[in-house]
């Protein structure tokens, strides 16, 4: 994956970043995640990120679905029963993905509307709570250095597109198939992984996949399973 023109180089990635726990909110290198932020600790987190040279925020999925606080994105409802200790690192997956805060807008009702561009995955190391209530962590980027490099490996898209069309038809998703066909492999895999309503563990498996081919195989398997479950095993193919 090659970084965007404004993304940091690998040797510019900071060793400590703010961490944003949000269930089912998957960010992958090359993907874009829109978010509405209105809980005070995460408003403070956004201000913190805006003041740093790289403007990075680390997205990590909670192991417990009730972790995360009053936050929302386009695909996830507010968790009104959230635990106030949502930044507890013991309840988070170890691997996440950092996104560069590429869009920022203030709203009249006190929210921040932002977008994160996925840059690089990381492993969490030592972490602590910032005085403003959000989690900050020392992170290890090295296992994912290839996230910022151009991947020229081939990918057979046909099986993925075929099952994708059946899956989207089942879900009633409207899609610009011309745009899909014209997207590069990274954009296709990142977007598909992020928008599909998979379970948290499935999204984490997609995040941790070590190659495009592995991620594509996982996506095919997950969509095939969803089709099988929906049709009771009678998903005739045409």
């Amino acid at each position: 994956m090659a970084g965007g023109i404004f993304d940091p180089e690998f040797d510019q990635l900071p060793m400590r970043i703010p961490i944003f726990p949000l269930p089912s909110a998957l960010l992958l290198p090359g993907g874009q995640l829109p978010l509405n932020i209105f809980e005070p600790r995460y408003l403070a987190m956004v201000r913190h990120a805006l003041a740093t040279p790289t403007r990075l925020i680390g997205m990590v999925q909670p192991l417990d679905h009730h972790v995360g606080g009053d936050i929302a994105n386009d695909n996830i409802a507010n968790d009104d029963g959230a635990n106030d200790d949502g930044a507890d690192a013991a309840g988070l997956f170890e691997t996440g993905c950092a996104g560069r805060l590429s869009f920022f807008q203030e709203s009249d009702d006190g929210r921040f509307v932002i977008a994160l561009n996925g840059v690089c995955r990381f492993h969490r190391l030592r972490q602590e709570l910032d005085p403003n209530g959000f989690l900050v962590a020392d992170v290890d980027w090295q296992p994912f250095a290839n996230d910022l490099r151009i991947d020229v490996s081939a990918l057979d898209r046909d099986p993925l597109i075929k099952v994708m069309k059946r899956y989207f038809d089942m879900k009633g998703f409207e899609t610009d198939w011309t745009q899909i066909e014209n997207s590069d492999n990274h954009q296709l895999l990142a977007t598909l992984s992020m928008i599909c309503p998979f379970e948290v563990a499935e999204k984490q498996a997609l995040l941790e996949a070590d190659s495009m081919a592995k991620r594509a195989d996982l996506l095919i398997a997950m969509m095939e399973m969803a089709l099988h479950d929906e049709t009771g095993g009678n998903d005739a193919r045409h």
Side-chain angles (χ1 to χ4, degrees):
M1 175 64 206
I5 188 171
F6 294 110
D7 289 347
E9 300 292 336
F10 186 76
D11 60 4
Q12 297 174 324
L13 294 173
M15 293 296 100
R16 171 167 281 211
I17 59 173
I19 298 296
F20 194 5
L22 189 57
S24 297
L26 180 65
L27 180 63
L28 287 171
Q32 186 176 81
L33 182 65
L35 294 164
N36 290 299
I37 312 294
F38 49 88
E39 186 177 351
R41 58 179 163 174
Y42 295 120
L43 293 172
M45 178 195 67
V46 171
R47 295 188 188 99
H48 171 89
L50 286 169
T52 64
T54 54
R55 303 201 307 274
L56 293 180
I57 293 174
M59 296 301 302
V60 181
Q61 293 195 115
L63 294 164
D64 180 349
H65 292 202
H66 291 292
V67 173
D70 294 329
I71 45 187
N73 69 11
D74 284 356
N75 303 313
I76 300 173
N78 301 340
D79 187 351
D80 295 330
N83 185 340
D84 286 340
D85 295 326
D88 179 6
L92 304 179
F93 282 100
E94 177 184 321
T95 303
C97 181
R100 180 177 57 81
L101 209 163
S102 59
F103 174 83
F104 166 82
Q105 185 175 28
E106 299 172 343
S107 69
D108 292 337
D109 57 358
R111 293 177 295 115
F112 288 152
V113 180
I114 69 172
L116 298 178
N117 284 6
V119 174
C120 187
R121 293 170 293 170
F122 60 85
H123 287 319
R124 289 186 302 109
L125 302 175
R126 190 179 69 86
Q127 55 271 313
E128 63 187 17
L129 282 176
D130 181 88
N132 290 304
F134 60 89
L135 185 70
V136 292
D138 297 332
V139 295
D140 180 12
W141 309 98
Q142 194 59 47
F144 308 107
N146 287 334
D147 285 354
L148 275 75
R149 297 171 185 158
I150 297 175
D151 187 346
V152 296
S153 58
L155 180 69
D156 183 3
R157 294 164 59 116
D158 288 343
L160 179 62
I161 295 294
K162 287 178 181 178
V163 70
M164 180 181 174
K165 287 181 177 179
R166 294 166 50 223
Y167 179 83
F168 276 30
D169 182 63
M170 179 191 75
K171 293 291 186 181
F173 295 164
E174 295 185 3
T175 306
D176 183 345
W177 290 106
T178 300
Q179 182 177 358
I180 292 292
E181 295 288 351
N182 291 334
S183 63
D184 65 33
N185 292 333
H186 286 291
Q187 290 173 327
L188 175 61
L189 294 175
T191 301
L192 187 55
S193 298
M194 291 169 62
I195 67 172
C196 287
F198 299 132
E199 297 294 329
V200 168
E202 293 174 319
K203 285 184 175 286
Q204 190 67 23
L206 289 167
L207 173 67
E208 296 181 13
D210 56 11
S211 68
M212 286 196 305
K214 178 65 173 178
R215 187 167 291 136
D217 287 344
L218 284 171
L219 280 166
I220 290 171
M222 290 173 188
M223 289 187 289
E224 289 278 15
M225 182 63 69
L227 286 162
H228 182 275
D229 290 345
E230 182 73 15
T231 62
N234 295 318
D235 54 329
R237 304 180 188 181
H238 303 282

